[in-house]
Amino acid sequence: MSRPAIVVVGSLNMDFVVKVQALPAPGQTVLGSDFRMIPGGKGANQACGAGRLAGSGHDIRMIGCVGYDLFADHLKASLSAAGVDISSIRSTKSAATGIATIWVEPGGQNSIVVAPGANGALDKRDAESWRTTMRNAAWVLFQLETPLDVVDTALAVARAGGAQTMLDPAPARHLPGELLRHVSLLTPNETEASILLGSPAQRIEPDRAHEMTAALLRLGVQAVVLKLGDAGCFYDDGVRAQYSRGFVVDAVDATAAGDTFNAALAVALAEKRPKAEALRFANAAAAISVTRMGAQASIPVRGEVDRFLEVHRDG
Ligand code: RIB
């Protein structure tokens, strides 16, 4: 049996995307435009990204749950086309495939509501059954759109099998220390970091990022990458800390920028590239994704990121 290099445990959603000039106030109706249905879900986006960015020669596997419907077929086809092994995605009759409604404002900022559906049908027994799939993976990637006890159990199973674990704490919520203990690399953005720390949401300037990553390390994770949007990211493992500058691009839609970042980072780390190079590769992949509409529709392939880095060699 081949050994998967990167395994993603998480959600698959069909995204219903609408551009709006401004978000509606409660009770208000506004007209939007450019409606599109685009494959998404934080887990599936990360798997898709890993598939596109790793290229041939890597084994990328998605673990998740969908319903028996057309959205499920579409989502699985999108992952297969990206080179992802979908044989560990199970189907349930108890719920429809997850969906997300996404409003995108001018400038690319988005607002997302997720109805998890089948993503919520995963349970702890599923997590136990993934032991073989996760064994000897270089990295196992998690987010928080599946039940928390599933994430908790699967993190422990992944670590016991020798894999490194990456947790994207999105959608943000308070997390128990017991769960965080199994996290090799935590990758919050500024809002998620604030929620994990119980502090008010704040914009973090790169020169203050170290304070925040130090506080996050005290929660029990082994290392942190704090995502700072277009300002880049800050890595800290308690011994080494380093800032990696972001890229300024014309943003169209920020959907899945964080997912693209995590996928690229996992690929680069699985390839054992130096940390600075891995962080820069992840920043570049995320920057490209925000220049396009949608989640999986926006995720670049490896050659695009390499060319982008070549063009932005000095930036
Ligand atoms: O991170 C972006 C994703 O969040 C979207 O694709 C949507 O499905 C939600 O899960």
Side-chain angles (χ1 to χ4, degrees):
M1 193 194 116
S2 68
R3 302 286 187 198
I6 296 175
V7 175
V8 181
V9 176
S11 57
L12 301 97
N13 298 330
M14 182 55 79
D15 292 350
F16 294 81
V17 186
V18 177
K19 279 189 187 173
V20 292
Q21 281 307 310
L23 297 182
Q28 186 191 14
T29 300
V30 297
L31 292 180
S33 66
D34 298 82
F35 168 70
R36 285 173 68 187
M37 273 196 313
I38 300 174
K42 294 186 194 304
N45 296 342
Q46 294 185 10
C48 175
R52 287 188 191 156
L53 293 162
S56 57
H58 278 74
D59 190 354
I60 313 294
R61 194 165 293 204
M62 173 80 204
I63 296 178
C65 188
V66 292
Y68 283 97
D69 45 42
L70 286 175
F71 294 158
D73 299 343
H74 206 74
L75 290 168
K76 287 196 278 188
S78 177
L79 291 181
S80 286
V84 177
D85 181 329
I86 58 167
S87 59
S88 301
I89 299 175
R90 84 166 167 85
S91 304
T92 180
K93 288 185 178 147
S94 69
T97 299
I99 64 104
T101 56
I102 304 183
W103 294 334
V104 183
E105 294 176 85
Q109 207 45 256
N110 61 35
S111 302
I112 304 181
V113 176
V114 174
N119 298 305
L122 292 172
D123 63 32
K124 279 166 73 168
R125 277 167 311 172
D126 286 309
E128 292 290 350
S129 76
W130 301 330
R131 198 170 291 275
T132 313
T133 309
M134 296 195 291
R135 186 173 302 137
N136 292 338
W139 282 89
V140 183
L141 276 51
F142 296 86
Q143 328 73 37
L144 297 176
E145 285 184 338
T146 47
L148 196 59
D149 60 344
V150 174
V151 175
D152 192 11
T153 307
L155 274 166
V157 170
R159 289 296 287 147
Q164 304 261 62
T165 55
M166 185 182 296
L167 174 63
D168 194 12
R173 56 181 292 177
H174 174 76
L175 292 173
E178 184 60 23
L179 180 153
L180 291 167
R181 199 165 61 79
H182 295 296
V183 175
S184 314
L185 183 59
L186 182 73
T187 61
N189 63 23
E190 294 143 301
T191 310
E192 291 149 6
S194 302
I195 290 171
L196 285 171
L197 294 170
S199 52
Q202 50 189 307
R203 177 96 220 215
I204 306 293
E205 297 305 324
D207 59 357
R208 283 199 43 236
H210 203 173
E211 283 168 41
M212 193 166 232
T213 56
L216 290 163
L217 286 174
R218 287 195 288 277
L219 297 177
V221 298
Q222 286 173 13
V224 176
V225 171
L226 180 61
K227 294 186 270 197
L228 301 167
D230 60 8
C233 62
F234 191 91
Y235 171 87
D236 189 1
D237 61 17
V239 178
R240 278 191 323 151
Q242 69 188 90
Y243 170 58
S244 180
R245 195 143 49 93
F247 300 94
V248 179
V249 292
D250 287 331
V252 170
D253 179 7
T255 305
D259 301 328
T260 305
F261 180 97
N262 279 40
L265 187 60
V267 166
L269 293 177
E271 290 172 354
K272 304 218 176 304
R273 290 162 76 176
K275 200 81 71 207
E277 205 179 301
L279 297 171
R280 193 167 154 77
F281 183 71
N283 280 338
I288 295 171
S289 78
V290 305
T291 64
R292 305 167 180 162
M293 279 296 286
Q296 287 169 38
S298 71
I299 300 173
V301 296
R302 184 168 192 130
E304 290 176 275
V305 182
D306 290 342
R307 278 194 297 279
F308 181 95
L309 284 169
E310 190 57 34
V311 170
H312 294 81
R313 220 180 5 232
D314 306 317

